[in-house]
Amino acid sequence: MFDWMVWTVPTAVFFICIAALLAGMTLWEIRSPTTLRKGFLPMATTRGDRLFIGLLVAAYINLGFLGLGERIMDGFSLQEEPSVWISFVLSMVVLAVIMRKG
């Protein structure tokens, strides 16, 4: 059924983290409804808005890293393309900053 997908460990961890974030945010929202708040984003947002924006940014970081992996390898004269764990960690840090300060 899933033979057409390339499920690497980083890909699986990324999607597991997204599922855990969605489940956690659902429980948090049930326990403590959110209010609008203004952070560094150009609009007032709720926790769910910041999660959605953060997940979009995380996805774009990972896609950009995959697309630019060969150029990064050539630019830094590396033996092989850099690990996708770098983009995963970077995207999770950006997501945390958006959730906290956005």
Side-chain angles (χ1 to χ4, degrees), residues 33-93:
T34 188
T35 58
L36 287 174
R37 171 172 77 94
K38 180 81 170 93
F40 68 81
L41 294 172
M43 63 201 152
T45 58
T46 64
R47 285 189 297 252
D49 297 334
R50 290 188 299 276
L51 177 64
F52 179 73
I53 293 166
L55 287 174
L56 282 176
V57 172
Y60 285 128
I61 288 171
N62 282 295
L63 287 172
F65 193 82
L66 288 174
L68 297 173
E70 193 171 314
R71 288 188 182 191
I72 293 170
M73 181 181 73
D74 293 339
F76 289 105
S77 301
L78 302 173
Q79 299 286 335
E80 58 187 40
E81 289 186 16
S83 173
V84 293
W85 287 108
I86 296 168
S87 67
F88 174 75
V89 170
L90 178 64
S91 66
M92 290 300 110
V93 168

Side-chain angles (χ1 to χ4, degrees), residues 4 11 17 20-21 24 26 30 32 47-48 54 58 63 66 76 86 91:
W4 61 275
T11 304
C17 286
L21 280 169
T26 301
I30 291 170
S32 169
R47 285 189 297 252
L63 287 172
L66 288 174
F76 289 105
I86 296 168
S91 66

Side-chain angles (χ1 to χ4, degrees), residues 1-48:
M1 179 174 171
F2 293 112
D3 295 339
W4 61 275
M5 295 177 142
V6 182
W7 283 102
T8 61
V9 174
T11 304
V13 170
F14 183 74
F15 282 106
I16 289 169
C17 286
I18 289 173
L21 280 169
L22 291 172
M25 287 294 290
T26 301
L27 294 174
W28 190 8
E29 188 66 30
I30 291 170
R31 285 194 63 141
S32 169
T34 188
T35 58
L36 287 174
R37 171 172 77 94
K38 180 81 170 93
F40 68 81
L41 294 172
M43 63 201 152
T45 58
T46 64
R47 285 189 297 252

